[in-house]
Amino acid sequence: MALQVALTGGIASGKTTVAALFAERGALLIDSDQLAREVVEPGTPGLAEVVARFGGQVLDDQGRLDRQALGAIVFADDVARADLNAIVHPRVRQRRAELLAEAGDDEVVISVIPLLVETGLADQFDAVVVVDLPEAVQVERLMTRNGFSAEQAQARVEAQAARAERLAAADWVIDNSGAPDELDGQVQAVWRELRNKAAGLT
């Protein structure tokens, strides 16, 4: 069987960058954010259910999901966020299972799952890699990337699991608070160990 690895981290921690570095080294990536977009594309049962729950206000002029409008609702309301997760997460898990079934026996499959800890999925993987950085840096990067106010950025950070909870689930931690070359070196070191684990050497 392929080695099943979960890659997680808080919002704006750099998961996408780290995932790309693993992919360059040969990992098979399954990105839950990408799958979450797929399952609510126009014409899907997922989008129909989202609209039934939240109304047409979460659609843009082309009938696609307006993520900013939906985010404004769910990040301010725990019940709304739980309802959205109940619609999207089962569909994402089903799609991921289909992709995993196609993986080769000797592959390292890295599933990028932002809400790994929140959804209690960590135990379903052979290893967990956490991309970590201080919360203050996370908020700063989120403000720069998305144009959020400090309050909006903080709210999104606080809507996720605490940093300590993610670290407690980690088999490997990649510190993304430094320079890009430092990040690449850490990914290389973890990749070497993952390949060894996949080969049954550790």
Side-chain angles (χ1 to χ4, degrees):
M1 290 183 61
L3 183 72
Q4 306 293 338
V5 181
L7 174 66
T8 193
I11 189 169
S13 62
K15 296 179 297 296
T16 301
T17 301
V18 170
L21 290 171
F22 277 123
E24 287 176 8
R25 289 162 169 82
L28 172 62
L29 286 187
I30 299 178
D31 188 333
S32 289
D33 274 351
Q34 181 179 333
L35 298 185
R37 293 185 186 93
E38 289 180 13
V39 301
V40 291
E41 283 291 308
T44 61
L47 182 60
E49 197 169 337
V50 169
V51 173
R53 166 62 178 84
F54 296 100
Q57 62 181 324
V58 299
L59 295 178
D60 64 18
D61 294 340
Q62 285 74 47
R64 303 181 71 85
L65 186 63
D66 184 333
R67 296 183 178 280
Q68 191 165 351
L70 181 60
I73 296 170
V74 301
F75 282 109
D77 183 338
D78 289 345
V79 173
R81 188 163 64 252
D83 288 347
L84 177 64
N85 289 343
I87 295 169
V88 174
H89 288 170
R91 290 177 168 86
V92 170
R93 284 195 289 270
Q94 179 181 351
R95 183 69 184 118
R96 189 171 72 241
E98 293 169 358
L99 294 172
L100 288 174
E102 300 171 4
D105 286 345
D106 60 345
E107 289 194 81
V108 175
V109 181
I110 296 184
S111 296
V112 185
I113 307 179
L115 300 181
L116 179 78
V117 173
E118 293 86 340
T119 51
L121 296 176
D123 291 343
Q124 298 183 17
F125 292 86
D126 299 315
V128 174
V129 178
V130 172
V131 185
D132 181 57
L133 74 173
E135 186 176 294
V137 179
Q138 195 179 350
V139 169
E140 181 182 332
R141 290 183 181 176
L142 190 54
M143 291 169 63
T144 301
R145 187 187 76 183
N146 293 66
F148 290 148
S149 67
E151 292 76 16
Q152 289 173 318
Q154 190 68 42
R156 280 158 174 75
V157 170
E158 291 178 357
Q160 297 185 329
R163 182 185 184 190
E165 292 178 282
R166 281 192 297 271
L167 291 174
D171 294 294
W172 285 279
V173 176
I174 293 176
D175 178 4
N176 192 22
S177 61
D181 59 336
E182 295 174 356
L183 184 64
D184 189 80
Q186 291 181 77
V187 170
Q188 177 60 33
V190 173
W191 176 248
R192 188 179 302 112
E193 294 189 45
L194 290 175
R195 286 301 312 165
N196 288 344
K197 189 175 180 69
L201 299 179
T202 60

